[in-house]
């Protein structure tokens, strides 16, 4: 079903990732750091990804660029999530108005911070998001606030990242906040917080993930994960209960594929060198 078919009785049509999670399926996301073109949404779909995670925390995106990518994502059935700079990022409302499917809030350490994240991303009574009207999710058709607000709210994914010792310690309270959909373990920053950067096989990291899965299950929310170094680690965290997983960033895929191709080509030419060109 396309986004244009969404109506008051089918809000999940606006967000294919929320629909996948509700069905108990795994949602895979491509992190966008380098690409500024809207075509990245179609490349994500072609490569089997279900969503984009546009990294406005670590990359230099403006709202207009993100809006263009989100429009393309809406049209091809890929959810566009944006990792913002923090729970108090002033652009949250504008990003959602531009057609993004959800917000990823980094480094949430307390329930109070999770409440601020929910407030920024959701309409009253759970939040303070302002109603603007003329939303791309409805192809800019006029939809009254009484109908539009619950549809948009249900179609918005609120993701709280726990990536510190304090965040993991408070993960049960964070997961309990009404309006949070996903508690997402940021493994790289969490390992740095634990004083163990790069040690993905450390038992303390496994215990943190287990604690997060337990807390999420108890409160009816999902577990996400990012920063994992390999397919094997990603498969392992999914087996442990992760349902929203970012694979790699666009720049990483590009570097790896291009490097492997050039290396293979040079190897072939070394094995069977080209004949000299007559002069």
């Amino acid at each position: 079903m396309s986004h244009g078919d969404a109506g008051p009785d089918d809000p999940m049509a606006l967000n294919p990732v929320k629909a996948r999670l509700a069905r108990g399926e795994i949602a895979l996301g491509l992190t966008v750091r380098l690409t500024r073109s809207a075509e990245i949404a179609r490349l994500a779909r072609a490569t089997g990804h279900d969503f984009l995670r546009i990294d406005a925390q670590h990359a230099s995106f403006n709202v207009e660029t993100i809006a263009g990518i989100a429009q393309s994502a809406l049209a091809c059935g890929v959810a566009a999530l944006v990792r913002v700079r923090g729970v108090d990022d002033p652009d949250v409302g504008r990003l959602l108005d531009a057609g993004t499917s959800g917000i990823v809030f980094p480094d949430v350490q307390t329930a109070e911070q999770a409440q601020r994240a929910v407030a920024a991303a959701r309409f009253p009574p759970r939040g303070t998001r302002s109603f603007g009207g003329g939303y791309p999710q409805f192809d800019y058709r006029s939809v009254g606030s009484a109908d539009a607000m619950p549809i948009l709210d249900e179609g918005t994914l609120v993701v709280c990242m726990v990536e510190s010792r304090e965040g993991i310690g408070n993960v049960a309270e964070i997961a309990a906040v009404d309006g949070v959909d996903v508690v997402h373990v940021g493994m790289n920053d969490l390992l740095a917080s634990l004083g163990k950067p790069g040690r993905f096989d450390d038992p303390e990291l496994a215990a943190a993930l287990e604690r997060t899965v337990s807390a999420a299950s108890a409160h009816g929310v999902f577990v996400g994960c990012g920063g994992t170094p390999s397919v094997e680690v990603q498969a392992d965290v999914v087996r442990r209960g992760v349902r929203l997983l970012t694979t790699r960033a666009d720049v990483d895929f590009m570097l790896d594929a291009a490097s492997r191709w050039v290396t293979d080509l040079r190897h072939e030419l070394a094995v069977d060198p080209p004949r000299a060109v007559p002069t």
Side-chain angles (χ1 to χ4, degrees):
M1 181 176 291
S2 71
H3 70 283
D5 297 322
D9 59 342
D10 191 18
M12 297 289 268
L14 296 184
N15 193 325
V17 166
K18 288 197 80 169
R20 287 186 70 88
L21 294 176
R23 294 193 298 266
E25 299 172 0
I26 311 301
L28 301 179
L30 170 66
T31 295
V32 182
R33 287 185 181 152
L34 179 68
T35 309
R36 297 295 184 271
S37 169
E39 283 85 356
I40 190 63
R42 296 193 177 277
L43 290 174
R45 186 178 68 171
T47 54
H49 288 88
D50 306 299
F51 68 95
L52 302 171
R53 187 184 69 167
I54 303 167
D55 193 355
Q57 180 189 20
H58 293 298
S60 300
F61 284 97
N62 60 39
V63 173
E64 186 175 5
T65 298
I66 293 172
I69 295 173
Q71 295 276 341
S72 179
L74 276 172
C76 66
V78 173
L81 311 182
V82 183
R83 179 162 68 176
V84 295
R85 290 165 287 178
V87 297
D88 297 316
D89 191 320
D91 287 332
V92 168
R94 295 173 67 205
L95 291 167
L96 291 171
D97 289 349
T100 60
S101 300
I103 303 293
V104 180
F105 294 93
D107 197 23
V108 175
Q109 300 191 39
T110 65
E112 187 273 334
Q113 290 177 341
Q115 289 164 354
R116 279 157 46 199
V118 170
R122 300 214 179 277
F123 293 109
R126 287 191 294 178
T128 59
R129 180 184 171 189
S130 173
F131 182 79
Y135 292 98
Q137 289 91 334
F138 305 120
D139 295 325
Y140 298 101
R141 297 190 303 270
S142 177
V143 180
S145 59
D147 289 329
M149 288 168 65
I151 297 172
L152 293 169
D153 229 17
E154 184 62 27
T156 296
L157 199 74
V158 175
V159 181
C160 288
M161 295 189 70
V162 287
E163 40 190 345
S164 67
R165 188 183 296 276
E166 183 178 1
I168 292 296
N170 294 324
V171 70
E173 291 79 7
I174 292 169
V177 172
D178 183 30
V180 171
D181 296 300
V182 177
V183 181
H184 184 100
V185 180
M187 286 198 165
N188 271 315
D189 283 339
L190 177 56
L191 282 170
S193 175
L194 297 174
K196 303 173 179 180
R199 291 168 55 180
F200 290 92
D201 59 348
D202 191 274
E204 195 170 1
L205 180 63
L209 181 59
E210 183 178 351
R211 179 172 183 152
T212 302
V213 171
S214 177
S217 299
H219 295 287
V221 301
F222 300 98
V223 179
C225 188
T228 45
S230 67
V231 167
E232 292 76 18
V233 173
Q234 291 182 358
D236 181 64
V237 298
V238 169
R239 294 185 188 105
R240 292 172 182 266
V242 167
R243 291 295 174 265
L244 185 86
L245 180 73
T246 52
T247 56
R248 303 188 76 195
D250 51 0
V251 63
D252 296 323
F253 280 126
M254 187 180 299
L255 282 169
D256 280 359
S259 298
R260 186 165 54 250
W261 190 284
V262 170
T263 298
D264 290 347
L265 176 58
R266 292 191 185 281
H267 174 73
E268 287 295 320
L269 293 175
V271 171
D272 184 10
R275 293 189 299 273
V277 177
T279 59

